[in-house]
Structure formats: C-alpha cells, structure tokens
C-alpha cells in the first residue's frame, strides 16, 4: 500500500478528510507533500495575487491544504479560516534552522490556542524535517524546544524526516492511520456500551 493509499484508508468511512500541512516557509512542506501526492492529484493555487499562497489538492477521498505561516502576519486571518475544516494537522519544522525554532514555537502556540483548534482532539503529526543536514537537531531536541510534552489534549507524534529521500514519512503516516483506527475503535466501544 502506498503512502497516499494509507492516508486514504485512514479516512475510515468519512467521505473526505482535510489535512492541513503547516509550518514556516522553507521547512519542507512542498517537498513532503510532493512525496505524498499521487501524480493524478488536482492542484489548485488559490489567492495567489495578494501575496499569500495556499495550495490545495485533492483526490476522491483526501484533501490537503498547505500554507506557510511565516512572515505574512497580515494574512493570518485568511489562513486561520482553514482551521475549522482541518481534521488532521501536519506541522513541519526545519530541524536545521535553529535560529527560527523560536518563531516555529510561537506559530505552534498561536495555532494551539486558536478557538477552532483549541477544544478539538485533532491529531497533530510533527515532521522534524531535514534530519540529513549536518548539525540538525534531533526529533527529541525539537520536541523539547517546542515544549510538545505540554500538549495533553490532542494526540501528537513527532518523526525525524528527510523529505528529499522520503525517509521518516511512512512512520508518520502509519501513526496518523493508527489514530484513525483508535477513534473507530472508541466509536465501536461507545456504540456497544449504549
Ligand atoms: P516549503 O514548502 O515549506 O517552503 P520546500 O519548503 O519544500 O520548498 O523546501 C525548501 C528547501 O528545503 C528546498 O530547497 C528543498 O529541496 C529543501 N528541503 C526540503 N526537505 C529537505 C530535507 O529533508 N533535507 C534537505 N537537505 N533539504 C530539504 P531549495 O534549494 O529548492 O530551496
């Protein structure tokens, strides 16, 4: 089963799942998405003329929305509009960019405190990307710098990735699929109990 098929099966019975792929510019979002994207996906760039690019693509079952969170504060209200549609978040961090780790943390904290995210048990998959770069931070170190242990009310997972080679992506997709299976299992338990 390919990575994209795995993600699609993670859908369960849902018709379409919206995955938000977020992170600072240059973190590797486009490279990661290109690894996951099937060749027949329809890509659609929207709002390109006002300085803020959002890429959306979808297949019959999965819809991805990808955007940069950095350097474009005045467009924040545009990208935040997409939060409520997201059923899973992939947050990409450049593990080699130590200088901007603080900025990534600020954006993550703002995301986690947003009303459309804060009270939902939305799974968050962190990709500590560019692990191939010399002196890049380990996923444990990235996790510490972003204070991920403080996220108590949402399932989350972090993987070290090399998006150029596609390394580490499989583990992340498997984890996302697992959260879906768990949710389905909990639903079944709930139905059984009532
Ligand atoms: P973005 O979509 O988040 O802005 P991109 O980021 O996917 O465009 O990637 C930004 C740059 O980082 C690209 O290099 C890309 O090739 C590189 N990159 C992405 N992932 C990795 C990785 O895992 N390891 C390394 N070494 N580089 C990576 P260019 O030179 O095209 O700007």
């Amino acid at each position: 089963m390919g990575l994209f098929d795995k993600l699609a099966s993670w859908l369960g019975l849902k018709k379409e799942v919206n995955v938000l792929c977020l992170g600072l510019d240059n973190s590797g979002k486009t490279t990661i998405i290109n690894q996951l994207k099937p060749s027949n996906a329809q890509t659609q760039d929207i709002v390109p003329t006002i300085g803020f690019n959002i890429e959306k693509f979808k297949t019959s079952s999965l819809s991805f929305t990808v955007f940069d969170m950095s350097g474009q504060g005045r467009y924040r209200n545009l990208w935040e509009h997409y939060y409520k549609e997201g059923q899973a978040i992939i947050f990409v961090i450049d593990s080699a960019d130590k200088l901007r780790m603080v900025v990534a943390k600020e954006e993550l904290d703002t995301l986690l405190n947003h009303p459309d995210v804060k009270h939902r048990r939305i799974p968050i998959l962190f990709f500590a990307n560019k692990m191939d770069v010399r002196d890049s931070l380990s996923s444990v170190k990235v996790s510490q710098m972003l204070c991920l242990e403080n996220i108590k009310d949402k399932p989350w997972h972090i993987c070290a990735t090399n998006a150029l080679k596609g390394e580490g992506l499989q583990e992340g997709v498997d984890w996302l699929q697992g959260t879906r299976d768990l949710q389905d299992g909990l639903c079944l338990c709930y139905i059984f109990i009532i």
Side-chain angles (χ1 to χ4, degrees):
M1 198 187 265
L3 278 186
F4 200 81
D5 291 336
K6 282 205 161 201
L7 269 177
S9 77
W10 170 75
L11 297 173
L13 298 172
K14 280 199 180 137
K15 230 175 162 222
E16 186 177 297
V17 163
N18 286 303
V19 181
L20 302 179
C21 184
L22 319 175
L24 302 187
D25 59 287
N26 203 49
S27 54
K29 298 177 299 299
T30 310
T31 314
I32 286 172
I33 289 301
N34 281 336
Q35 292 276 2
L36 299 176
K37 192 155 56 174
S39 53
N40 59 352
Q42 296 172 355
T43 301
Q44 186 193 359
D45 283 322
I46 56 172
V47 214
T49 51
I50 56 167
F52 174 52
N53 289 314
I54 299 178
E55 187 188 356
K56 268 174 104 74
F57 71 90
K58 61 195 276 185
T59 64
S60 56
S61 55
L62 209 53
S63 152
F64 272 96
T65 306
V66 188
F67 50 84
D68 290 334
M69 303 174 89
S70 44
Q72 296 157 333
R74 63 201 163 118
Y75 301 116
R76 183 175 294 278
N77 61 342
L78 281 179
W79 81 59
E80 285 179 346
H81 165 77
Y82 291 91
Y83 287 172
K84 63 170 88 56
E85 299 169 10
Q87 287 146 316
I89 293 173
I90 296 177
F91 194 96
V92 184
I93 306 117
D94 179 347
S95 337
D97 190 353
K98 294 168 196 161
L99 282 178
R100 287 206 303 166
M101 204 56 74
V102 177
V103 184
K105 181 177 182 328
E106 281 170 6
E107 288 300 346
L108 174 64
D109 290 346
T110 307
L111 167 75
L112 292 173
N113 282 312
H114 190 276
D116 291 331
V117 177
K118 192 175 170 103
H119 301 295
R120 295 168 58 209
R121 264 190 74 78
I122 180 169
I124 309 181
L125 173 61
F126 294 92
F127 281 139
N129 194 37
K130 305 196 186 180
M131 67 175 182
D132 57 297
V133 175
R134 202 163 159 265
D135 292 335
S136 60
L137 298 172
S138 68
S139 59
V140 172
K141 191 68 192 161
V142 170
S143 175
Q144 284 169 352
M145 292 188 79
L146 298 184
C147 300
L148 298 189
E149 74 280 1
N150 291 343
I151 306 176
K152 310 268 191 218
D153 57 348
K154 295 175 186 29
W156 63 268
H157 184 71
I158 186 164
C159 303
T161 56
N162 171 354
L164 294 181
K165 291 193 172 167
E167 289 168 2
L169 301 180
Q170 178 87 49
E171 181 198 328
V173 169
D174 284 347
W175 176 80
L176 265 185
Q177 191 180 22
T179 64
R180 178 74 213 179
D181 293 345
L182 191 65
Q183 281 169 18
D184 288 347
L186 288 175
C187 285
L188 276 176
C189 286
Y190 182 66
I191 290 166
F192 189 68
I193 288 165
I194 59 171

